[in-house]
């Protein structure tokens, strides 16, 4: 039963990823249709991200009060309702209003399902969970590109995804009693795992064992880690939100083709995370993170340089493949770098900074593009990726120096 129930959770994460990538794919045709300014997509993205932050911060108490199943069900109702509202919205003002429940619902689902899987399933299931988010994020632009190409309607694309969400709502309602039952089945295994990992000193850096307790934010390398999270999430969302607009506005690619190319970017993230799950058996997270960053830099160079069109497509795919191991790797390295006793707080800080990057950097580029042109897209993507790389490597350097001194 637990395995079949896990499939339902994976389906829920697919539905979580579907709307995340649709706005950027649809914006080249949405913008003139509703009479919005070019940078308004950044405003909508910011509102959705702000709602995600709010619901993520409140999710812990809500889960304790109502349970994961009910929170997931209610959150999916919010996102499904917001998406069907998007399909009928007559103006930007309505989209701004609807972006609030879309963000609130998405953040609660994200936090609730991550918490449930972390509490009741083995660690490798978490990797596959985020892989399924990538499937949804890849499928969103594909669905949108179909309706733009075949029916010349971005509204039908949003309507179709809302129907998928409502189907999930029905499935979650039917399976609502199973959430507690599955958690009870895993309770004994969970206690055994907790006993096995109780010894903090196994993964804590040596210098922590010989020093007085300190605030996590003052620990060596933490601030640069947060900076790396900021730039990673900012550049990942910037590519997804503005990539199609760059292709249409600067490279004269049709809107439906641009949407497909952006889906390949998310496809690179998805496939990369699936493959990374196996590679982690042979290579460390730090090696995978560095390799991913270098691949993403190469993809950024493909976008920036005046190369044939095939390199432009390859650039988006390489950026997606490069991004694949970075976020899960950053999270997984936290206990090893800073100790298990600090991991919970630090991961919370990392999530907050990650959402901050998602909230502010894409709209900031929208303002830059409005004033100086969308042609700056490749340069900004490459710059943010390099800043992430430098911040990440600075963490490794500081930790190496600390170990030598101790």
């Amino acid at each position: 039963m637990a395995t079949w129930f896990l499939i339902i959770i994976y389906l829920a994460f697919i539905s979580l990823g579907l709307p995340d990538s649709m706005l950027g794919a649809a914006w080249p045709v949405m913008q003139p249709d509703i009479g919005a300014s070019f940078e308004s997509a950044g405003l909508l993205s910011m509102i959705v991200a702000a709602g995600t932050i709010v619901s993520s911060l409140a999710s812990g108490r809500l889960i304790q009060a109502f349970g994961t199943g009910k929170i997931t069900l209610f959150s999916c109702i919010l996102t499904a309702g917001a998406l069907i509202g998007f399909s009928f919205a007559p103006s930007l003002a309505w989209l701004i209003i609807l972006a609030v429940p879309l963000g609130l619902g998405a953040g609660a689902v994200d936090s609730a399902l991550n918490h449930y899987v972390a509490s009741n399933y083995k660690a490798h299931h978490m990797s596959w969970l985020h892989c399924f988010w990538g499937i949804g994020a890849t499928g969103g632009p594909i669905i949108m590109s179909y309706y733009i190409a075949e029916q010349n309607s971005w509204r039908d694309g949003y309507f179709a995804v809302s129907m998928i969400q409502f189907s999930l709502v029905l499935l979650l309602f039917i399976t609502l009693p199973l959430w507690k039952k599955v958690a009870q089945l895993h309770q004994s295994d969970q206690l055994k795992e907790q006993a096995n990992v109780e010894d903090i000193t196994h993964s804590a850096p040596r210098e922590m064992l010989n020093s007085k307790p300190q605030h996590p934010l003052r620990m060596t390398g933490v601030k640069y880690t947060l900076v790396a999270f900021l730039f990673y999430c900012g550049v990942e969302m910037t590519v997804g939100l503005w990539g199609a607009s760059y292709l249409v506005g600067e490279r004269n690619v049709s809107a439906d083709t641009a949407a497909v190319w952006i889906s390949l970017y998310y496809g690179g993230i998805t496939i990369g995370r699936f493959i990374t799950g196996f590679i982690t058996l042979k290579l460390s997270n730090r090696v995978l993170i560095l390799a991913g960053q270098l691949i993403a830099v190469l993809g950024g160079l493909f976008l920036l340089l005046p190369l044939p069109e095939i390199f432009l497509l390859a650039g988006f795919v390489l950026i997606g493949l490069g991004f694949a191991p970075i976020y899960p790797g950053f999270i997984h390295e936290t206990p090893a770098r800073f100790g298990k006793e600090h991991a919970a707080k630090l991961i919370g800080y990392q999530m907050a900074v990650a959402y901050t990057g998602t909230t502010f950097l894409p709209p900031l580029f929208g303002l830059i593009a409005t004033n100086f042109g969308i042609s700056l897209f490749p340069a900004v993507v490459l710059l943010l990726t390099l800043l992430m790389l430098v911040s990440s490597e600075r963490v490794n350097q500081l930790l190496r120096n600390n170990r030598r001194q101790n």
Side-chain angles (χ1 to χ4, degrees), residues 27 31 37-42 242 362-376:
W27 193 244
Q31 179 206 344
S37 61
F38 178 78
E39 69 272 15
S40 297
W242 298 112
L364 178 61
F365 174 73
L367 291 174
I368 293 173
T370 299
N371 290 283
F372 300 102
I374 192 68
S375 61
L376 291 176

Side-chain angles (χ1 to χ4, degrees), residues 74-395:
F74 180 72
S75 299
C76 285
I77 292 173
L78 276 181
T79 57
L83 289 171
I84 199 170
F86 262 60
S87 69
F88 291 104
S91 66
L92 177 64
W94 278 101
L95 291 176
I96 290 174
I97 294 171
L98 292 165
V100 175
L102 183 61
L104 291 173
V109 170
D110 194 0
S111 299
L113 294 182
N114 272 294
H115 174 269
Y116 191 85
V117 172
S119 300
N120 297 290
Y121 290 91
K122 294 182 179 180
H124 66 271
H125 287 118
M126 185 66 71
S127 297
W128 306 140
L129 184 70
H130 287 277
C131 179
F132 276 89
W133 172 88
I135 293 174
T138 304
I142 291 175
I143 293 172
M144 184 59 70
S145 68
Y146 169 79
Y147 283 100
I148 291 175
E150 298 298 325
Q151 301 183 23
N152 195 29
S153 174
W154 60 270
R155 297 181 184 275
D156 288 346
Y158 271 108
F159 185 83
V161 172
S162 72
M163 292 299 101
I164 295 174
Q165 293 274 19
F166 276 117
S167 299
L168 177 65
V169 167
L170 179 61
L171 180 61
L172 290 172
F173 179 77
I174 294 172
T175 59
L176 192 58
L178 295 179
W179 291 85
K180 287 185 178 180
K181 292 182 180 179
V182 172
Q184 290 170 356
L185 287 174
H186 285 279
Q187 188 174 16
S188 60
D189 291 337
Q190 179 186 357
L191 292 174
K192 292 179 182 179
E193 289 179 3
Q194 286 177 348
N196 290 333
V197 300
E198 213 167 33
D199 184 9
I200 293 171
T201 63
H202 178 71
S203 65
R206 185 178 300 172
E207 64 270 15
M208 295 177 196
L209 306 178
N210 301 319
S211 60
K212 295 180 180 180
Q214 57 180 314
H215 192 280
L217 288 178
R218 295 178 180 175
M219 296 173 64
T220 302
V222 166
K223 291 184 175 64
Y224 282 101
T225 300
L226 297 178
V227 172
F229 265 93
L230 177 77
F231 287 125
Y232 170 76
C233 290
V235 70
E236 182 193 73
M237 181 59 69
T238 297
V239 174
L241 183 62
W242 298 112
S245 296
Y246 168 74
L247 291 170
V248 173
E250 185 68 20
R251 293 300 189 99
N252 298 317
V253 176
S254 65
D256 56 307
T257 301
V260 171
W261 284 24
I262 295 303
S263 74
L264 293 176
Y265 158 68
Y266 284 106
I269 296 177
T270 305
I271 295 171
R273 285 180 178 169
F274 180 77
I275 296 173
T276 298
F278 297 101
I279 299 178
T280 51
L281 300 174
K282 299 292 184 181
L283 298 176
S284 68
N285 280 324
R286 298 185 187 186
V287 172
L288 287 171
I289 290 169
L290 178 59
Q293 290 169 334
L294 294 176
I295 292 172
V297 168
L298 178 62
L301 288 172
F302 278 10
L303 298 187
L304 183 65
L305 298 175
L307 300 172
E309 191 173 273
I310 187 63
F311 286 92
L312 185 63
L313 173 58
F316 279 101
V317 175
L318 285 174
I319 291 172
L321 286 171
F323 283 173
I326 297 174
Y327 188 84
F330 279 164
I331 295 291
H332 195 264
E333 276 293 283
T334 301
R337 283 174 167 172
F338 307 112
K340 291 181 180 178
E341 74 274 30
H342 300 293
K345 283 187 177 180
L346 286 175
I347 289 174
Y349 295 147
Q350 289 165 353
M351 295 300 97
V353 172
Y355 287 134
T356 301
T358 301
T359 302
F360 292 105
L361 291 186
L364 178 61
F365 174 73
L367 291 174
I368 293 173
T370 299
N371 290 283
F372 300 102
I374 192 68
S375 61
L376 291 176
F377 173 79
V380 170
V381 168
L382 183 58
L383 174 63
L384 293 176
T385 305
L386 288 171
L387 289 172
M388 171 187 60
L389 170 60
V390 171
S391 302
S392 177
E393 285 303 296
R394 179 60 175 161
V395 176

